[in-house]
Structure formats: C-alpha cells, structure tokens
C-alpha cells in the first residue's frame, strides 16, 4: 500500500461521511506521510510512536473523543467532512467543511420518493463501475434488501458485473431468513448463506486489523465473509451501512420542529402517533418523546452528574484512574438538528462516520477487497437532509419514504416488514465457535491496560469470571466485556511490534508531490 511523502505543507480533505475512505497522516523527519492505511504509514516512521492512552479511554468509555485521534500519538486521521493543513514540522490546522443547503420545501412525498430511488440507483451504479464481480451483504432487512435489489437492477445487461448476495444465516428475534428466502426467489439469484460459526476461527485475529484495535465481537464474521468473497473472485463488497441513521429520521428533531411552529401542544399531538418499531400506547409515546426529555432538561446539573456517576461506577466497576477521569467528564449533549444545514453537517461529519471509515479501511486491509457503502454517497445524503423531516415518515412508518422509494424493487412483505433482526443469536453461535469465553481467558487479566491506568486488572478479572460462570449470561453482555479484552490484545500486539527493527525510510522526492486526494467512489 502506497505511502505518499511530501516535503512541504499540504492540505488533506475528507468528503462527507468519509465516503472516499480513511486518510492517515503524520509529520516525521522533516516531511509529511499520508496513507489510506495505518500500518504502512507506521512502518515508514523513523520511530515507533507511543500508544495514546486517551484514545483507548475514549473507546472504553463509549464516548466520542477527538475525531482526528488514532491509537498512536503523533499519528492522525482526517475526520469526515473536514479539511486539514499539516506541515513537515508538525503544525496542523483543522476545520469542518461547510456546505450550505437549500431546503426542498416545495417537493411532495411522491416526487421525493421517486428522486430518492433515482439517487440510490445512481449511487449503486457509481459503485459498480469498473468491477466484474460484486458481493452485496444482505440478509432480508429492509435496507440491505433494497441495496441488493438496486445492485441486481443496475447489473443487468451485457458487460455488467456479476452480483452475488452473501448473508449471515441465523435465527432469533426478528428472524431475517424467511424474508431473505422470499427476496432471492423474487430476484432469481442463488445466495451464499454463511453461518456465524464460520467466523469463529477468525475472531482472535480480528482483535487487531491494520495495526488498530477492533472492539466489535462480530468482526470475525466479517473476515469469514471476506474469505468467502475472495475465494469467489469478488472485487468489491457493498453494504447498507448508514441506512438506519439516514432513512430513519430523527424523531426528536421532528417533534422539535412541531414545537417551534405550534408550541408544546402541537408537539404532543404529533407524538401521539409518531412511528416506532415496537407497538406501544400513544400516551407512552408522549411520555417517551416529550415528557421524559423535558423533565431531564429540568434536573439540576449536579443531580444529573451524581446520577450518571452512580450508573458509571456500577457499569465500569473495574475502571482504572485514567478511565475514571474520562468517565467523570460530562457527555456531549447534542441538540436535535432542525434545519437541513444542521442535519447534514451533523450527519456528514459525525464521529461515527470517521470511525466507520477506519473500520472499512481495516476490513479492506485484512481481506484485500474494496468496500463501498452506497447509502453514504454524499449526493444521496445531501438530498435526504434537504427534505422536510416529515417526509421520511411517509405512511406513518419508520423509514416510510425509503420503503416507498423501493416499491417494485423488493416484495412488499419485505418492504413493509415491521420488525428488525436482533444479533444475539448470531453472536452466540460465533463466540461458541471461537472457543467460548475460555478461549479468551488470557485477556481477562488486562495487565497492559492497567499499566496505562485504564483498568484495574484484578477487578476486571473477577467481573469477567463471575459473568462467564453465570448461566444467565447472554451474548449481548459480551459487548461490555469485549472492548477491554480487545484493547488488551491490541496493546500486546503494539508492544511486540515496538521491539521489531525499523525499516529504512524512502528518500524524499526531489520535487514535492501533489496533495493526496481520496480515491473516487
């Protein structure tokens, strides 16, 4: 993987949602190094960078930290929808890009759905350009079904790429499998069904990818998918990442617009029938979306801090001094964005987008297969953000406009399904195939994290053993333990690499090279 080298200050730009991919950079030995992968950049440094304990603390606290940070001090990434100027001497400035948008106030829901459908197909067509074999991750959910159907529609005809569907095949609450069978029958394709247990052998290796920690316990399944795709000659994987946040719409922001226009009573009336995934009484909706947030805002700040700290101490009883300091900080309170500019800027530059770009780069590095998320196409995102919020709930449904946009592409039983799949059964099978809790017992005494002040190793060990022995422990509870175990594995990896010899540095180019530009989607 190429590492770009510059002898003078350069400007780096990440597009909306980091759709063009991750961009890492560092100032070192009188030049700037830039790469879309972290590990190659680290190998070109003249020194081994130290681990950034604050970055690891942010991961453990489940709070957004510095979006430019990486696990290594002095090595940075360009946050989504930001411009960074960096010099060989280490000076850097960073600013969020601003793209004023005009709201589409005159568009009706039918026209909005038609345009949304067109832009989805355009984003998929753009992703497919230049490829011969593509895999779409789909399992029967609304978003992934629409993506697979769009890819099949765009791939029809001579000279178009061959499209494969790959699905993780498991049951449980909100079972996707009946819907997926109907979808592939309607599309006339034979899918690849992969059981989650196929990811078991990869789970240990998935703790670290591209020299960066992975705190998701399901990453092993992603590597198994990559192995199957690579064996079948797949060049590109498409996923429906971002669909939930983009098409769901912010219900709190919707009610805030009603409050601004007609007062609290207007907001309460709209809350009576606001769409939800789980059926509930209209008054429950008012309590959830109107009363509870209003009461929370009126609780004195000292009382809120005490309540939060009590909850934190219970959930992170094993926290070390450095992590406790992070946990004591007040979380960032985000107000609902009611204008299209606020919604677009928040969505396009959210730390989640930067983190996803990192995860995408990690999977590309580990599998050798490019990944694109068409629902994060900047043109598509901008269009959705310009729409009136009310349009997204077309027909009184969650993702109502998206469901209407894909009519005719997927069967109505899938398009209008009221439920969502839960991942617990899949995690149970995956982790059992990885050897269960016992296979990772060496990571339950995180002495390396204790040295960084992040964890009390003995307290975490007691907590982990108690939960492992509890027959009522559900796979979802691994999610709380896994980040500590994953980061312990990462620190061991990083420190073992620190003892390796440093490769020679390539010479400076005689003429400064042009600034690095993220690859086009």
């Amino acid at each position: 993987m190429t590492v770009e080298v510059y002898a003078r200050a350069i400007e780096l730009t990440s597009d909306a949602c980091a759709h063009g991919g991750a961009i890492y950079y560092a100032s070192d030995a009188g030049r700037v190094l830039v790469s879309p992968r972290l590990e190659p950049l680290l190998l070109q440094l003249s020194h081994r960078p130290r681990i950034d304990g604050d970055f690891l603390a942010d991961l453990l606290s489940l709070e957004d930290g510095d979006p430019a940070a990486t696990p290594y001090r002095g090595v940075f990434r360009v946050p989504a929808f930001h411009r960074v100027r960096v010099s060989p001497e280490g000076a850097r400035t960073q600013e969020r890009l601003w793209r004023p948008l005009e709201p589409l106030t005159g568009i009706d829901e039918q026209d909005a759905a038609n345009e949304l459908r067109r832009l989805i197909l355009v984003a998929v067509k753009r992703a497919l350009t230049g490829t011969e074999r593509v895999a779409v991750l789909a399992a029967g959910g609304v978003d992934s079904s629409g993506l697979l159907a769009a890819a099949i529609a765009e791939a029809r005809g001579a000279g178009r790429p061959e499209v494969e569907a790959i699905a993780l095949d498991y049951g449980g609450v909100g079972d996707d499998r009946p819907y997926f069978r109907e979808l592939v029958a309607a599309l006339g394709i034979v899918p690849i069904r992969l059981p989650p247990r196929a990811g078991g052998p990869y789970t240990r290796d998935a703790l670290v990818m591209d020299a960066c920690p992975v705190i998701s316990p399901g990453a092993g399944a992603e590597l198994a998918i990559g192995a199957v795709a690579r064996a079948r000659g797949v060049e590109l994987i498409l996923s429906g990442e971002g669909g939930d946040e983009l098409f769901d719409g912010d219900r709190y922001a919707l009610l805030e617009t009603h409050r601004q226009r007609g007062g609290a009573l207007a907001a309460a009336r709209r809350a009576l029938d606001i769409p939800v995934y789980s059926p509930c009484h209209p008054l429950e909706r008012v309590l959830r979306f109107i009363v509870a947030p209003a009461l929370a805002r009126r609780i004195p700040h000292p009382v809120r801090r005490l309540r939060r700290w009590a909850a934190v101490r219970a959930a992170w009883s094993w926290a070390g001094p450095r992590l406790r300091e992070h946990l004591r900080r007040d979380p960032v309170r985000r107000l609902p964005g009611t204008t299209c500019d606020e919604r677009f800027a928040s969505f396009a530059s959210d730390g989640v987008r930067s983190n996803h770009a990192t995860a995408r780069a990690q999977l590309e590095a580990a599998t050798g297969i490019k990944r694109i998320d068409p629902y994060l196409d900047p043109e598509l995102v901008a269009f959705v953000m310009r729409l009136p919020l009310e349009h997204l709930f077309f027909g009184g449904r969650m993702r109502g406009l998206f469901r209407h946009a894909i009519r005719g592409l997927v069967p109505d039983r899938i398009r209008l399904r009221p439920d969502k799949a839960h991942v617990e059964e899949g995690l149970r099978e995956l982790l059992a195939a990885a050897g269960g809790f016992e296979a990772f017992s060496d990571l339950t005494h995180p002495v390396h994290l204790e040295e960084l002040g992040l964890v009390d190793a003995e307290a975490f060990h007691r907590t982990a053993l108690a939960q492992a022995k509890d027959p009522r422990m559900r796979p979802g509870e691994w999610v709380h333990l896994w980040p500590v175990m994953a980061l312990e594995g990462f620190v061991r990896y990083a420190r073992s690499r620190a003892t390796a010899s440093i490769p020679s540095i390539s010479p400076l180019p005689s003429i400064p090279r042009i600034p690095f530009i993220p690859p086009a989607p």
Side-chain angles (χ1 to χ4, degrees):
M1 180 57 62
T2 302
V3 177
E4 303 285 346
V5 182
Y6 305 96
R8 64 181 182 185
I10 62 166
E11 192 173 88
L12 305 169
T13 302
S14 178
D15 59 3
C17 308
H19 188 65
I23 307 173
Y24 298 104
Y25 66 94
S27 297
D28 178 71
R31 63 245 194 102
V32 181
L33 307 179
V34 182
S35 176
R37 299 285 185 274
L38 186 55
E39 187 168 26
L41 187 148
L42 295 175
L43 292 174
Q44 288 295 313
L45 292 175
S46 60
H47 65 286
R48 292 297 185 193
R50 296 173 60 192
I51 294 173
D52 188 340
D54 290 331
F55 177 87
L56 302 189
D58 287 329
L59 290 180
L60 291 175
S61 65
L62 306 180
E63 293 285 348
D64 289 341
D66 180 0
T70 74
Y72 304 94
R73 292 185 180 179
V75 179
F76 305 95
R77 66 181 178 184
V78 181
F81 211 42
H82 278 71
R83 178 187 295 116
V84 173
R85 183 173 178 81
V86 57
S87 74
E89 295 74 33
R92 64 188 184 101
T93 58
Q94 176 178 293
E95 62 176 332
R96 188 168 72 174
L97 299 177
W98 184 251
R99 178 182 173 183
L101 298 177
E102 287 293 328
L104 296 171
T105 54
I107 189 171
D108 63 27
E109 291 166 322
Q110 185 62 55
D111 288 342
N114 291 340
E115 180 63 6
L116 178 59
R117 180 191 185 111
R118 186 189 73 81
L119 288 174
I120 290 171
L121 292 172
V122 167
V124 169
K125 182 177 181 179
R126 187 179 295 133
L128 297 180
T129 301
T131 60
E132 295 182 2
R133 187 179 290 264
V134 178
V136 179
L137 304 185
V142 177
D143 295 347
S144 64
S145 295
L147 180 61
L148 176 58
I152 294 291
E154 286 299 323
R156 290 195 179 103
R160 299 295 181 89
E162 184 175 346
V163 176
E164 304 240 29
I166 302 180
L168 282 177
D169 192 57
Y170 61 91
V173 178
D175 192 345
D176 275 336
R177 293 175 299 179
Y179 297 102
F180 190 59
R181 284 194 293 269
E182 184 174 344
L183 175 67
V184 296
L187 296 176
I189 61 174
V190 179
I192 301 167
R193 293 184 173 90
L194 195 66
R197 63 178 176 275
Y202 297 93
T203 301
R204 184 84 184 202
D205 291 338
L207 293 174
V208 180
M209 289 190 277
D210 193 26
C212 197
V214 180
I215 63 171
S216 167
E222 292 280 2
L223 293 188
I225 289 171
V228 169
R230 189 170 60 246
R232 298 180 68 87
V234 167
E235 308 162 65
L236 171 69
I237 293 177
L238 302 184
S239 88
E241 178 69 32
D244 284 355
E245 304 94 321
L246 182 62
F247 301 128
D248 266 1
D250 187 335
R251 287 166 289 182
Y252 292 98
L254 175 65
L255 294 175
E256 177 61 19
T257 61
H258 280 270
R259 188 195 66 78
Q260 291 174 1
R261 294 171 185 168
L265 186 58
R269 286 173 179 157
R270 181 64 183 89
L272 288 170
D273 61 354
I274 197 166
V276 292
Y277 279 116
S278 301
C280 64
H281 192 278
L283 290 180
E284 290 183 54
R285 304 180 193 198
V286 175
L287 288 173
R288 174 182 170 187
F289 291 102
I290 300 293
V291 177
L295 291 177
R297 287 193 295 269
R298 285 166 173 74
I299 296 175
H301 181 67
V303 175
R304 282 204 307 268
R305 293 197 68 180
L306 285 173
R307 289 177 60 185
R308 181 177 184 275
W309 182 238
V312 161
R313 291 186 66 180
W316 284 271
S317 59
W318 38 261
R322 189 176 204 162
L323 178 56
R324 284 199 300 270
E325 185 62 32
H326 270 67
L327 294 170
R328 284 193 180 97
R329 298 185 309 197
D330 289 333
V332 177
R333 301 179 66 85
R334 291 185 174 86
L335 297 176
T338 55
T339 70
C340 61
D341 277 342
E342 291 171 346
R343 289 161 54 205
F344 180 73
S346 174
F347 185 92
S349 62
D350 192 285
V352 173
R353 306 292 153 250
S354 299
N355 292 340
H356 177 66
T358 294
R360 190 168 64 227
Q362 289 175 297
L363 288 169
E364 289 178 344
T367 64
I369 302 176
K370 183 175 177 57
R371 298 174 73 101
I372 293 180
D373 310 302
Y375 292 148
L376 293 178
D377 180 272
E379 184 181 4
L380 173 60
V381 172
F383 172 73
V384 173
M385 295 302 165
R386 294 176 65 198
L387 292 172
L389 261 174
E390 197 73 59
H391 281 18
L392 300 182
F393 303 96
F394 176 79
R397 300 177 184 273
M398 293 296 296
R399 301 185 214 184
L401 191 70
F402 174 76
R403 295 174 193 267
H404 192 52
I406 61 172
R407 65 197 183 283
L409 285 176
V410 301
D412 282 352
R413 195 170 84 90
I414 303 168
R415 183 175 68 88
L416 302 177
R417 64 177 290 191
D419 60 342
K420 287 174 62 72
H422 291 209
V423 301
E424 282 204 352
E425 190 60 37
L427 276 179
R428 186 193 309 277
E429 182 180 328
L430 170 66
L431 295 172
F437 186 84
E438 294 77 13
F440 301 94
S441 59
D442 60 305
L443 299 175
T444 63
H445 205 272
V447 293
H448 291 80
L449 293 184
E450 185 172 62
E451 291 174 8
L452 293 171
L454 295 171
V455 175
D456 181 326
E458 190 58 39
F460 180 82
H461 185 64
R462 290 194 302 269
T463 299
L465 286 182
Q467 293 198 25
K469 293 177 180 178
D470 187 346
R472 298 167 299 175
M473 182 180 178
R474 299 176 301 172
E477 294 174 17
W478 277 70
V479 175
H480 190 61
L481 298 176
W482 194 262
V484 175
M485 297 159 66
L487 292 184
E488 175 68 9
F490 163 73
V491 176
R492 293 183 189 180
Y493 158 87
R495 288 182 172 174
S496 69
R497 293 294 298 269
T499 62
S501 60
I502 300 174
S504 60
I505 304 173
S506 57
L508 284 168
S510 55
I511 301 176
R513 300 162 75 175
I514 61 171
F516 174 82
I517 300 174

